[in-house]
Amino acid sequence: MTSSLLLRAGIGMGSGLAGALLVALAWAPAAAAGATFGQVIASVKPSVVGIGTYQPTRSPAIVFVATGFVTGDGLSVITNAHGIPETLDSERNETLGIVIAKGDKVDFRPARLAGLDRLHDLAHLRLAGAPMPALRLGDGGAVEEGQALAFTGFPLGMVLGLHPVTHRAMLSAITPLVMPSVSARKLDARAIAQLARAPSPIYQLDGTAYPGNSGSPVYDPDSGQVLAVLNMVFVKGLKENAITNPSGISYAIPVIHVRALLQQQTSPQTMPQTTP
């Protein structure tokens, strides 16, 4: 296992960068018209990365926490917020970043946390250095139930090697993030707080996903445009809190929330804390 630590992350996200990201979203390449599903997958995979932390004295040095994907100008990475550690061990040089497959080896590339949307469980990381292949975000306005979708990520993390896996799915339903329970005793504090907010629709999929898939891009299998972000922990805990035996249903966060996150300014409160 190798680690490329020559790149140092330190880019802030001012208003100029936010505007540049919006421009980038408009021209980011999508799969060619008439491409086969196999060709779309091939175009998506270089943009799918692992999210984790690197600590040189730890074994293993790299710890995988979620899947993510590159978008915008090739330096923005989207993943689930629940996978981002709240603290980093600065004394032991623990670093947040992305994990990239290099054949049978992996490279670690540092990143900084540029924004968090805890309500929709999304995180925006920024890379320094050379841009990576970026996925184009769809507008999400034409998404409908019954639509064919696909998602690519790492269902088992790095257990079997960092090899992107693609699953087909159908948009089974567009439902509220939280439904009132028939019994208040089955509602926890987090679900009650969510119910007090404005309804937030999420996508229910019939495709099988696993916790390592959290943060995977959910995309149109014909064009490769991202329509949602897979979520296997945060949403399931809210959506299925009243079920004794949780189902195998998968959920995803609509892409409109990704677009909103990319427009946010960097805030010091969004940065993970370091422990001495």
Side-chain angles (χ1 to χ4, degrees):
M1 180 176 292
T2 63
S3 296
S4 300
L5 298 176
L6 298 179
L7 298 173
R8 302 186 63 181
I11 293 181
M13 186 176 174
S15 58
L17 180 54
L21 282 172
L22 293 178
V23 173
L25 292 178
W27 61 259
T36 66
F37 186 40
Q39 291 170 328
V40 172
I41 292 174
S43 71
V44 167
K45 286 170 66 174
S47 303
V48 178
V49 298
I51 307 295
T53 64
Y54 173 83
Q55 186 176 305
T57 58
R58 183 174 60 196
S59 181
I62 297 175
V63 173
F64 176 98
V65 296
T67 297
F69 63 93
V70 182
T71 189
D73 59 359
L75 296 174
S76 284
V77 179
I78 297 297
T79 187
N80 285 160
H82 73 255
I84 303 299
E86 293 187 4
T87 60
L88 295 173
D89 190 342
S90 59
E91 183 177 329
R92 293 177 174 80
N93 298 316
E94 185 180 23
T95 307
L96 176 69
I98 66 171
V99 189
I100 307 168
K102 296 289 185 181
D104 293 331
K105 300 179 180 180
V106 297
D107 279 352
F108 181 85
R109 184 168 170 177
R112 72 180 298 270
L113 184 60
L116 277 176
D117 175 359
R118 294 195 183 278
L119 178 61
H120 301 102
D121 196 36
L122 295 172
H124 171 207
L125 308 184
R126 284 293 290 177
L127 305 171
M132 294 182 60
L135 296 182
R136 185 171 183 173
L137 302 182
D139 60 23
V143 176
E144 60 183 6
E145 294 182 2
Q147 181 171 340
L149 298 169
F151 56 90
T152 299
F154 306 105
L156 297 176
M158 297 171 61
V159 173
L160 300 179
L162 202 66
H163 303 291
V165 178
T166 300
H167 300 266
R168 284 188 178 272
M170 181 185 73
L171 178 51
S172 302
I174 301 175
T175 70
L177 178 58
V178 180
M179 291 290 289
S181 173
V182 295
S183 172
R185 289 177 298 178
K186 299 198 176 201
L187 287 174
D188 58 22
R190 190 163 67 102
I192 292 172
Q194 188 71 43
L195 282 168
R197 300 187 179 102
S200 183
I202 48 97
Y203 298 157
Q204 181 174 313
L205 313 178
D206 71 341
T208 301
Y210 300 87
N213 276 122
S214 290
S216 297
V218 179
Y219 54 90
D220 181 343
D222 294 326
S223 68
Q225 289 192 13
V226 179
L227 300 175
V229 180
L230 201 73
N231 189 298
M232 289 304 298
V233 176
F234 182 86
V235 170
K236 191 177 288 291
L238 287 169
K239 190 70 176 173
E240 302 183 4
N241 64 335
I243 300 178
T244 303
N245 297 309
S247 72
I249 298 171
S250 300
Y251 300 98
I253 306 298
V255 74
I256 185 175
H257 303 299
V258 175
R259 288 183 169 276
L261 178 59
L262 289 172
Q263 295 180 56
Q264 291 180 7
Q265 302 292 326
T266 300
S267 169
Q269 286 75 27
T270 65
M271 298 300 294
Q273 301 297 310
T274 57
T275 54

